């Protein structure tokens, strides 16, 4: 391979053709989660293969992940943080390219599986729902006791969002979407919500909610 690269360089030099440097295609990286194995592969094109990848010295001396010469980033980040660093790819002609990258490491999400009692507060009073929630990674699903409705949502660290379709008897039994955002702490969670328009009822914004398990 080195002999071929040398021949190519000699031919290029004789013909006046300049070898082109590689180009890094990877511009963004997926989020990771603290305590969970993180793996990804960097991608480059152009230049003359094989490539050799490395982290540019001092671009992030505390990077808790390793970068192999083949371009594989891997490791287990210990805590939530944002990793900022610069990678370099070098081809067989010693031509290089660099790219600044970052990885957001999210905190471990609490497990919210179980039956929750949720209280919704608004100007007309309050009402209570008792949904059963289940969790798979960052995805949340569930059902409302007494009704065949699907609950969807997500959890990222302690931040949760839920969408609850609810049949509202005060609005001609129209189904209205409750959109919840909030935070989770152990067996409690709370936040704000809105309710979409439906039937004879207009949209409602600015309510608060809380839940216990």
């Amino acid at each position: 391979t080195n002999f071929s690269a040398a021949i190519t360089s000699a031919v290029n030099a004789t013909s006046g053709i300049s070898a082109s440097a590689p180009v890094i295609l990877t511009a963004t990286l997926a989020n990771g989660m603290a305590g969970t194995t993180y793996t990804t592969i960097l991608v480059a094109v152009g230049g003359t293969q094989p490539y050799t990848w490395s982290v540019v010295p001092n671009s992030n001396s505390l990077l808790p992940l390793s970068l192999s010469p083949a371009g594989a980033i891997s490791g287990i980040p210990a805590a939530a943080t944002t990793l900022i660093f610069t990678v370099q790819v070098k081809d067989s002609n010693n031509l290089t390219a660099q790219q600044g990258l970052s990885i957001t490491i999210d905190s471990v999400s609490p497990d919210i599986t179980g039956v929750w009692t949720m209280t919704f507060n608004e100007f007309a009073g309050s009402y209570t729902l008792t949904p059963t929630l289940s969790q798979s990674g960052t995805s949340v699903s569930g059902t409302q006791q007494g009704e065949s409705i699907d609950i969807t949502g997500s959890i990222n660290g302690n931040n949760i969002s839920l969408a609850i379709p609810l049949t509202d008897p005060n609005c001609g039994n129209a189904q209205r979407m409750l959109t919840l955002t909030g935070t989770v702490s152990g067996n409690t969670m709370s936040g704000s919500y809105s309710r979409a328009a439906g039937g004879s009822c207009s949209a409602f914004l600015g309510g608060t909610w809380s839940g216990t398990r």
Side-chain angles (χ1 to χ4, degrees):
T1 300
N2 291 336
F3 178 74
S4 298
I7 293 297
T8 300
S9 298
V11 170
N12 288 344
T14 302
S15 60
I17 299 174
S18 298
S20 60
V23 176
I24 298 175
L25 296 185
T26 303
T28 61
L29 295 173
N31 289 11
M33 183 171 291
T36 302
T37 299
Y38 184 94
T39 59
T40 193
I41 300 292
L42 302 178
V43 178
V45 295
T48 304
Q49 296 191 37
Y51 302 138
T52 301
W53 292 85
S54 61
V55 176
V56 175
N58 300 320
S59 68
N60 190 327
S61 59
L62 300 178
L63 181 65
L65 304 172
S66 65
L67 173 60
S68 75
I73 294 178
S74 63
I76 302 177
T81 187
T82 298
L83 308 174
I84 301 174
F85 54 99
T86 300
V87 297
Q88 175 177 284
V89 63
K90 181 171 65 175
D91 73 358
S92 61
N93 291 324
N94 290 323
L95 299 177
T96 62
Q98 294 185 354
Q99 175 69 52
L101 296 171
S102 66
I103 304 174
T104 298
I105 305 300
D106 299 318
S107 60
V108 178
S109 299
D111 187 353
I112 63 167
T113 300
V115 179
W116 290 80
T117 299
M118 292 183 174
T119 301
F120 297 81
N121 304 297
E122 52 189 74
F123 62 87
S126 62
Y127 56 95
T128 300
L129 299 177
T130 52
T132 299
L133 301 179
S134 59
Q135 182 177 337
S136 176
T138 59
S139 298
V140 178
S141 60
T143 57
Q144 165 60 30
Q145 290 184 350
E147 288 194 55
S148 298
I149 60 175
D150 294 328
I151 298 172
T152 59
S154 63
I155 185 168
N156 187 349
N158 292 324
N159 298 313
I160 189 170
S161 61
L162 295 171
I164 305 178
L166 181 66
T167 301
D168 194 336
N170 297 318
C171 304
N173 288 324
Q175 192 174 77
R176 307 178 66 189
M177 182 70 72
L178 302 180
T179 302
L180 288 64
T181 58
T183 56
V184 181
S185 178
N187 290 319
T188 64
M189 52 183 171
S190 61
S192 60
Y193 77 100
S194 62
R195 188 170 58 208
S200 59
C201 298
S202 59
F204 169 76
L205 303 174
T208 61
W209 65 277
S210 60
T212 58
R213 177 172 53 179

